[in-house]
Amino acid sequence: MSAIDSRRFRDVLGHFPTGIVVVTASRNGRPVGMAVNSFTSVSLDPPLVLFCPARSSSTWPDIAAAGRFCVNLLRREQAWVARRFAARDIDRFDGIVWGPSPGGAPLLAGTVGWLDCRIELRMEAGDHIIVLGHVEALDVSEGAAPLLFFRGGHELPQREPGGCT
Ligand SMILES: Cc1cc2nc3c(=O)[nH]c(=O)nc-3n(C[C@H](O)[C@H](O)[C@H](O)COP(=O)(O)O)c2cc1C
């Protein structure tokens, strides 16, 4: 049993801002994708990134079977896309404009950028899985603002209450 209360754990980690990406893959020609904020860069040489799907994720087995994935870096205006790719029991791609990435995974339109990856390693980590991807292709829209995730929302505070200015 852990000494750390799970609500406290979520609350503290919620104070650390991240971006939001949609990790996509194509399994037997069927597009799959999930919203993720556990994405980060790992290594420059070789170019490695990681994300962490929950062991309970129903999308992860499809990504694992594809053996590769595309990381779509969401733009500030795409909070609705994040909500869509976190929702259950819907067609997440309904109304979404996308085309194939060089590696064949869905590349969503209108994002900040994307990274096409081959799965290099998977490691069980508690109730999640650490998935290491080798980046094989990537691109960015210079100047586009990313969608942030902070304390359950998408805005950073303008100023610390009571803090230094
Ligand atoms: C902002 C945000 C970040 C998320 N980050 C993760 C994540 O890092 N890992 C994960 O497994 N699910 C994450 N989710 C939840 C998934 O998007 C999805 O709702 C969940 O995995 C259930 O769908 P699935 O069964 O298709 O995986 C996140 C959801 C949101 C809205």
Side-chain angles (χ1 to χ4, degrees):
M1 200 174 87
S2 167
I4 303 293
D5 174 69
S6 58
R7 210 171 55 184
R8 182 85 177 133
F9 184 82
R10 281 171 183 266
D11 181 44
V12 171
L13 270 300
H15 285 69
F16 178 66
T18 66
I20 306 181
V21 306
V22 174
V23 175
T24 58
S26 175
R27 184 174 190 182
N28 303 328
R30 186 173 61 88
V32 297
M34 61 190 287
V36 158
N37 76 328
S38 56
F39 171 73
T40 192
S41 61
V42 175
S43 161
L44 185 60
D45 185 17
L48 301 172
V49 296
L50 69 73
F51 76 101
C52 302
R55 286 172 60 152
S56 61
S57 167
S58 60
T59 301
W60 162 241
D62 291 330
I63 299 171
R68 44 189 316 117
F69 59 88
C70 185
V71 178
N72 295 267
L73 310 174
L74 293 189
R75 191 185 283 249
R76 188 166 59 194
E77 295 77 17
Q78 291 181 310
W80 68 275
V81 179
R83 279 194 297 276
R84 171 72 69 81
F85 279 89
R88 291 169 186 267
D89 302 325
I90 58 155
D91 174 3
R92 291 176 177 171
F93 283 87
D94 185 27
I96 297 283
V97 179
W98 63 276
S101 72
L107 208 154
L108 308 188
T111 63
V112 168
W114 54 271
L115 302 96
D116 229 1
C117 307
R118 175 174 39 82
I119 295 179
E120 176 104 358
L121 183 139
R122 319 140 192 219
M123 193 180 96
E124 289 191 4
D127 54 11
H128 279 63
I129 300 160
I130 298 172
V131 180
L132 196 63
H134 188 118
V135 181
E136 296 188 329
L138 75 175
D139 202 5
V140 73
S141 266
E142 295 292 347
L147 180 64
L148 300 182
F149 189 59
F150 178 70
R151 296 181 69 182
H154 300 299
E155 299 293 330
L156 293 176
Q158 294 301 306
R159 178 196 296 184
E160 280 300 308
C164 301
T165 53

